Amino acid sequence: MDTSVPAGSYLAAVRDLNGLQTNYQIIQQIKASGGRMNQHSIPEFCAFLEKIGHSVDGLNKLNVIHVAGTKGKGSTCAFTQSILTQLSEQRRAEGKQPLKIGLFTSPHLIQVRERIQINGQPISQLDFAKYFYETFDALRSPHPPLRKVSVDSPSMPMYFRFLTLMAYHTFLREQVDVAIMEVGVGGEYDSTNVIQQPVVCGIASLGIDHQNSLGSTIEEIAWHKAGIIKPKVPVVSVEQVPEALKVIEERARENDAELQVVKPVDDVELGIQGVHQRANAALATELCRTWAQRTHNVAASDSYIARGLQLASWPGRSQSFPSPRVPSLIWHVDGAHTVESIRACAKWFSSTSSPCVLLFNAAHNRDARMLLETLHTHASCTFIGAVFCPNVSTQRADSNNFTVQKDDELVAQWESARVWQGLTGNPVKVVPSINEAVEYVENTYEDVRVLATGSLHLVGGVLDVAKGSI
């Protein structure tokens, strides 16, 4: 154990949390054996919840807004948080009780505490450490004994499930009026889906992703995503491809849940850039309207909605900023990591015509060739160079990621570089870390726009190294 890290501190919590990551080799074994995302997932999570002193029914007091989807669910949650913040301010101005708003989302960009927010701000390092060790120590205590669902049930939740558990614990302790919960993967067996009576559920755009755990067809994936639908709880969806919508409709009927499909907004200024965000904004708008009506938290007018959409922000998605060291170099970062989101990213990035440089790493288990081909096809701008690096950053412990295969030889990066060079003829550079990638770009180029994309982990590292904050 690192004795230089004070016991009970934020750094100690990050260290102990990182110890809950499943390493790459074990993940491959789990996938080969059929996966643990199965019918035991939610019962096991219920047992963990009981172990730390909470009941499943007790979560209902959080007035949850539950959001699933392949792309756009994080942005939807950001719009939702912003709209509810403006509702809270309007209620305050009307002499009514303001709202305390919780948000749980993933992944983080720079610090893990970004995943658990209250009133639009990550919880403090002090509060993160406090709630982390309340959860961690309760799970490690021999009393009460953990209820085992099966003989091979784990005695400690893994990284994401632990953070979900900690988020629910934090929101209960903080007595939030609403908890916006973003699904991690899928929906049916996701740990956030322990909630039995959310106020409203939302489904963002669906596509092919996480095939190892969700299935290879849009129908299979839609079944998992629509697993968040609960009996008699309203559900709102963006427009979907017919095959996906049919599954959502079937699961809504099975649960006697009213389904509303919303069209993209078209006449409102949005704080998060990109044409694709108009669907997410529409989804968030209806989620907030429904939540306010069902919880009797209405305001005198709905003017708060337009303000919320305009003031929304979501770092790492369609975000631009000038380099503090090379002012003529403009960073553009977007965590796109699916074909659909890369296509949207390309459209956003192509809005101006100055020379461009690419900084790329594909999130693990992604088809880098397909992502690069999609970017090349849809980005109508002139690339003059490209840099490739693994998602390795030396900035802070929050960035440690043991779930991906260590690639000392940079095989994946060289393969991506060869693909891009074949598509564009650009000079390419491969470096062993995000830190060195940012340094190389800023020492080599000026008067250019740089697009960093392919992975939220890459984007988080770039924000940390190049900007110093989100």
Side-chain angles (χ1 to χ4, degrees):
M1 180 175 292
D2 185 356
T3 56
S4 66
V5 175
S9 67
Y10 176 72
L11 290 179
V14 170
R15 178 200 61 203
D16 289 338
L17 176 63
N18 284 341
L20 299 177
Q21 291 190 40
T22 307
N23 69 37
Y24 178 82
Q25 287 73 23
I26 294 176
I27 288 176
Q28 298 313 301
Q29 293 170 11
I30 290 171
K31 288 178 178 178
S33 65
R36 284 200 49 78
M37 185 174 283
N38 55 34
Q39 68 271 20
H40 292 316
S41 297
I42 298 301
E44 287 173 353
F45 195 83
C46 291
F48 289 134
L49 195 65
E50 296 163 6
K51 182 78 167 69
I52 67 170
H54 300 299
S55 67
V56 174
D57 289 343
L59 299 181
N60 296 332
K61 69 182 71 171
L62 296 176
N63 295 317
V64 167
I65 297 175
H66 201 190
V67 183
T70 303
K71 63 185 181 74
K73 63 183 187 292
S75 298
T76 297
C77 289
F79 279 123
T80 300
Q81 176 181 253
S82 184
I83 293 170
L84 291 181
T85 297
Q86 294 308 307
L87 170 61
S88 179
E89 291 302 310
Q90 188 164 321
R91 285 175 57 83
R92 188 195 304 275
E94 295 170 3
K96 300 174 183 176
Q97 184 70 24
L99 302 172
K100 193 170 189 179
I101 304 163
L103 169 67
F104 175 67
T105 187
S106 62
H108 61 277
L109 293 174
I110 296 178
Q111 295 192 50
V112 67
R113 62 191 181 92
E114 297 162 23
R115 297 185 183 221
I116 303 174
Q117 300 186 23
I118 293 179
N119 289 341
Q121 295 297 320
I123 60 174
S124 68
Q125 291 190 0
L126 192 64
D127 281 343
F128 185 94
K130 178 176 74 170
Y131 293 129
F132 175 89
Y133 281 111
E134 285 179 1
T135 306
F136 192 70
D137 292 344
L139 288 168
R140 291 198 302 175
S141 172
H143 304 291
L146 176 67
R147 176 173 57 84
K148 288 281 189 173
V149 174
S150 67
V151 293
D152 61 346
S153 289
S155 58
M156 182 72 83
M158 291 185 291
Y159 188 93
F160 178 80
R161 300 180 85 194
F162 180 95
L163 285 171
T164 308
L165 190 66
M166 178 182 160
Y168 276 128
H169 173 68
T170 301
F171 295 152
L172 287 167
R173 286 288 305 272
E174 290 285 333
Q175 298 182 314
V176 300
D177 297 299
V178 54
I180 306 162
M181 303 295 294
E182 179 191 356
V183 168
V185 174
E188 177 76 22
Y189 301 129
D190 187 76
S191 52
T192 61
N193 205 32
V194 68
I195 183 71
Q196 294 303 298
Q197 293 180 30
V199 174
V200 61
C201 298
I203 302 177
S205 181
L206 301 185
I208 302 296
D209 198 14
H210 295 291
Q211 295 97 313
N212 285 326
S213 52
L214 303 183
S216 58
T217 69
I218 192 66
E219 291 89 350
E220 291 173 310
I221 290 169
W223 183 89
H224 278 277
K225 306 289 186 180
I228 68 169
I229 298 174
K230 299 297 188 300
K232 300 186 183 301
V233 173
V235 56
V236 186
S237 173
V238 301
E239 295 175 322
Q240 309 282 0
V241 297
E243 298 85 352
L245 184 59
K246 181 179 178 181
V247 175
I248 295 171
E249 290 171 339
E250 289 172 352
R251 298 213 73 176
R253 278 195 300 271
E254 291 168 359
N255 285 279
D256 194 20
E258 180 183 352
L259 170 65
Q260 182 177 357
V261 179
V262 293
K263 296 182 180 298
V265 298
D266 59 6
D267 56 352
V268 180
E269 182 181 349
L270 303 182
I272 309 175
Q273 300 304 304
V275 174
H276 58 292
Q277 296 294 353
R278 296 196 169 276
N280 302 327
L283 176 56
T285 296
E286 195 53 44
L287 289 174
C288 291
R289 281 197 178 118
T290 302
W291 183 89
Q293 291 167 358
R294 297 197 78 210
T295 59
H296 310 291
N297 281 294
V298 294
S301 74
D302 62 0
S303 59
Y304 65 90
I305 293 175
R307 289 198 305 275
L309 293 175
Q310 181 180 357
L311 295 173
S313 65
W314 196 225
R317 288 79 170 176
S318 306
Q319 181 181 359
S320 304
F321 61 93
S323 164
R325 290 166 290 276
V326 188
S328 67
L329 186 151
I330 309 299
W331 285 98
H332 298 258
V333 296
D334 190 288
H337 52 271
T338 66
V339 169
E340 294 89 348
S341 57
I342 283 285
R343 189 180 298 125
C345 169
K347 189 170 184 179
W348 161 72
F349 184 65
S350 298
S351 56
T352 60
S353 58
S354 56
C356 306
V357 174
L358 175 66
L359 172 53
F360 182 86
N361 178 271
H364 63 284
N365 295 328
R366 307 290 173 174
D367 188 335
R369 173 180 289 275
M370 186 173 292
L371 296 182
L372 290 168
E373 289 175 347
T374 301
L375 178 63
H376 178 251
T377 299
H378 294 276
S380 55
C381 50
T382 304
F383 284 98
I384 60 173
V387 184
F388 299 85
C389 68
N391 288 332
V392 174
S393 172
T394 59
Q395 288 296 100
R396 62 186 81 230
D398 302 61
S399 303
N400 290 342
N401 185 1
F402 306 127
T403 65
V404 297
Q405 186 175 25
K406 192 174 182 182
D407 184 12
D408 291 331
E409 302 300 320
L410 304 176
V411 174
Q413 282 66 51
W414 279 112
E415 176 58 30
S416 293
R418 282 190 288 270
V419 169
W420 186 255
Q421 195 167 42
L423 291 169
T424 66
N426 284 166
V428 295
K429 178 75 172 180
V430 174
V431 294
S433 72
I434 296 171
N435 306 65
E436 290 166 88
V438 170
E439 181 180 6
Y440 174 80
V441 167
E442 295 190 337
N443 286 340
T444 306
Y445 298 101
E446 56 184 352
D447 296 314
V448 297
R449 297 184 306 128
V450 184
L451 174 62
T453 192
S455 161
L456 275 166
H457 293 289
L458 171 66
V459 164
V462 169
L463 285 169
D464 200 10
V465 176
K467 186 168 181 275
S469 68
I470 58 174

